[in-house]
Amino acid sequence: SRKEKETRSRPSIIDLPLPPTLPGGDSSPLHLASHQGLSLTLPALKKRPKICCPRYGERKHTKSDWGKRCVDKFDIIGIIGEGTYGQVYKAKDKDTGELVALKKVRLDNEKEGFPITAIREIKILRQLKHCSVVNMKEIVTDKQDALDFKKDKGAFYLVFEYMDHDLMGLLESGMVQFSHEHIRSFMRQLMEGLDYCHKNNFLHRDIKCSNILLNNRGNQKLSSFLMTMSTSLFSTIDSRPYTNKVITLWYRPPELLLGEERYSPAIDVWSCGCILGELFTKKPIFQANQELLQLELISRLCGSPCPAAWPDVIKLPLFNTMKPKKQYRRRLREEFAFLPTSALDLLDQMLTLDPSRRCTSEGALNSDFLCDVDPNNMPPPESVDLDSYLSVESRLTCWRSSWATS
């Protein structure tokens, strides 16, 4: 047909003439032969390399990978908790075979789009890369295409490395015995993660046992950065007031209870001191359900807040209204006399009423109790694999991980 003849007679790119040779131009045999009308037998071309992305699992994910995969790339094993945004699932990556925790971010009830608290947590976690801080690997969605979100609101999933337990669940189970050396290892890892956060200008502001994750190898990770605040936006820590309605009550330091709004990293160190005491006693050392009673319990053990022990306490907004009815002397060393001396010294420094005199996270790492600890050489606690001891219902109770709110 006429159309076929036109197609056959249409010149291809090979038939196009080459540009004229310029002085100093290419004088290769191929170039000269084409202009002189000579035929030249070309060598067989080598096979061109394929240009394609490696498969997932063949390389580490980069920032550009985030959000490209769908949740169907994971085999969901089961629900392991209820998080701030939605359920938390244990899952297996189909490409790598790695176990992960999928933290669901529901959008169906969000009028303003993606939750601002989730955005803050994601932004912070992407800046924190440390072996003692939980690692967020990527973000996946339950929609194959972005256009699907216009039709039906979907959900995002934050993909975290999987940790077998949280510290609160292990302590409450009563099935794991922590030796003196295990406590040293756990506190070393906790303070290393906290020191890293503080040196990168982050205050965690919600350290508690349920936000400390552990695996069956004895590795520990600090998690749950919902309340975390960056101080790098301000020239000094005292440049602006912050909310003092942070940190779960049992782990809240006295300066916050007395209304301090210009606080320092010392607030996190107090929380870690509470955890150190809890690791030895197997229960929270300050358990109150009201702020006034919480301050009362602190005063009974650490002494009443007074100018003699804490000169600036009289400047705090609630010093007169929250003052304990009775004046207590400090009895911490007496109550915890059963602790090893080095552990007692550190606990005393971490639970100092005056935040300016409280030890820092770096100071805790340099203390006699923690300075020579190597967590890599520490065998995991016996019976830490609770899967062989507890029923499914009990495991879900124990797995009150960092994603769950108090």
Side-chain angles (χ1 to χ4, degrees):
S1 65
R2 183 179 176 185
K3 201 167 194 178
E4 290 176 352
K5 289 179 182 178
E6 287 179 357
T7 304
R8 284 196 297 268
S9 62
R10 185 179 297 165
S12 69
I13 192 170
I14 301 174
D15 301 320
L16 296 176
L18 290 172
T21 306
L22 297 175
D26 187 5
S27 58
S28 64
L30 178 60
H31 186 269
L32 293 174
S34 63
H35 279 276
Q36 295 170 7
L38 301 176
S39 61
L40 186 66
T41 304
L42 297 175
L45 294 175
K46 292 182 179 180
K47 189 176 180 181
R48 293 181 63 188
K50 291 183 178 180
I51 302 174
C52 61
C53 295
R55 296 177 181 177
Y56 279 89
E58 295 179 348
R59 62 166 169 76
K60 292 183 178 180
H61 297 168
T62 61
K63 291 182 179 179
S64 60
D65 297 319
W66 285 47
K68 287 188 176 181
R69 295 207 291 171
C70 184
V71 74
D72 61 11
K73 289 289 185 180
F74 298 89
D75 282 323
I76 304 296
I77 298 173
I79 298 178
I80 54 178
E82 182 74 23
T84 305
Y85 320 119
Q87 287 81 17
V88 183
Y89 302 90
K90 179 180 179 180
K92 189 174 184 179
D93 191 319
K94 294 179 180 178
D95 292 329
T96 65
E98 186 179 13
L99 289 176
V100 297
L102 299 179
K103 186 176 179 180
K104 187 174 184 179
V105 182
R106 291 181 299 224
L107 301 181
D108 48 356
N109 296 324
E110 290 295 328
K111 297 179 180 179
E112 303 299 328
F114 206 87
I116 186 65
T117 50
I119 293 174
R120 287 181 66 253
E121 185 178 22
I122 292 168
K123 185 176 180 181
I124 290 168
L125 283 168
R126 293 193 71 176
Q127 297 177 64
L128 298 177
K129 297 296 178 186
H130 191 271
C131 60
S132 294
V133 175
V134 71
N135 178 34
M136 184 171 65
K137 296 174 169 295
E138 60 177 315
I139 302 175
V140 297
T141 175
D142 63 353
K143 301 294 182 184
Q144 292 282 0
D145 194 290
L147 295 176
D148 291 340
F149 277 94
K150 291 186 176 180
K151 303 174 185 175
D152 176 36
K153 281 190 177 181
F156 286 89
Y157 295 81
L158 312 186
V159 184
F160 290 88
E161 59 183 320
Y162 180 76
M163 302 295 285
D164 301 278
H165 314 285
D166 68 75
L167 186 56
M168 185 178 75
L170 289 182
L171 290 173
E172 288 190 349
S173 73
M175 303 201 68
V176 182
Q177 295 299 319
F178 295 144
S179 68
H180 171 67
E181 292 303 314
H182 288 135
I183 294 174
R184 294 178 70 206
S185 175
F186 292 158
M187 285 303 298
R188 177 78 195 188
Q189 293 177 73
L190 173 59
M191 299 315 296
E192 283 178 349
L194 183 62
D195 188 52
Y196 171 78
C197 292
H198 287 173
K199 287 180 177 176
N200 283 275
N201 301 312
F202 286 104
L203 305 185
H204 188 280
R205 304 199 301 179
D206 196 22
I207 293 178
K208 55 185 176 181
C209 286
S210 60
N211 287 342
I212 299 172
L213 308 182
L214 298 97
N215 61 21
N216 290 338
R217 297 182 300 277
N219 302 127
Q220 182 178 288
K221 308 276 185 178
L222 183 59
S223 67
S224 189
F225 290 81
L226 281 170
M227 301 299 296
T228 301
M229 179 189 73
S230 172
T231 61
S232 60
L233 299 176
F234 317 112
S235 57
T236 65
I237 197 73
D238 294 324
S239 60
R240 56 158 286 182
Y242 314 126
T243 176
N244 52 33
K245 301 300 180 183
V246 292
I247 304 182
T248 301
L249 187 59
W250 293 356
Y251 303 89
R252 193 176 301 170
E255 61 265 35
L256 295 187
L257 294 169
L258 292 172
E260 179 64 271
E261 293 181 327
R262 288 177 172 82
Y263 43 81
S264 70
I267 63 169
D268 289 335
V269 175
W270 176 277
S271 302
C272 292
C274 295
I275 289 173
L276 175 58
E278 189 170 346
L279 284 169
F280 281 102
T281 61
K282 303 296 187 295
K283 61 181 180 180
I285 59 177
F286 304 120
Q287 298 186 59
N289 53 13
Q290 294 178 356
E291 293 184 352
L292 186 59
L293 183 55
Q294 182 73 15
L295 190 60
E296 180 81 13
L297 294 180
I298 291 173
S299 300
R300 291 178 186 177
L301 182 67
C302 301
S304 299
C306 62
W310 183 358
D312 290 336
V313 71
I314 58 175
K315 300 177 183 178
L316 297 182
L318 303 178
F319 172 66
N320 292 317
T321 56
M322 292 279 287
K323 188 183 299 183
K325 297 177 181 179
K326 182 181 176 181
Q327 286 295 313
Y328 298 97
R329 67 178 183 86
R330 189 173 178 86
R331 302 180 64 253
L332 184 139
R333 299 190 74 90
E334 298 171 25
E335 292 292 327
F336 286 89
F338 62 93
L339 268 62
T341 303
S342 59
L344 181 57
D345 290 341
L346 179 57
L347 181 66
D348 197 16
Q349 295 170 29
M350 298 179 85
L351 295 183
T352 299
L353 288 176
D354 187 348
S356 66
R357 298 177 181 176
R358 201 175 297 154
C359 75
T360 62
S361 53
E362 183 177 11
L365 290 171
N366 293 327
S367 68
D368 292 340
F369 185 61
L370 300 179
C371 65
D372 59 349
V373 180
D374 184 3
N376 295 321
N377 296 330
M378 189 68 57
E382 294 182 7
S383 302
V384 74
D385 185 4
L386 298 186
D387 290 352
S388 58
Y389 293 91
L390 305 180
S391 64
V392 174
E393 292 78 14
S394 298
R395 289 205 303 272
L396 291 178
T397 301
C398 286
W399 223 104
R400 269 175 279 183
S401 61
S402 63
W403 350 95
T405 56
S406 60

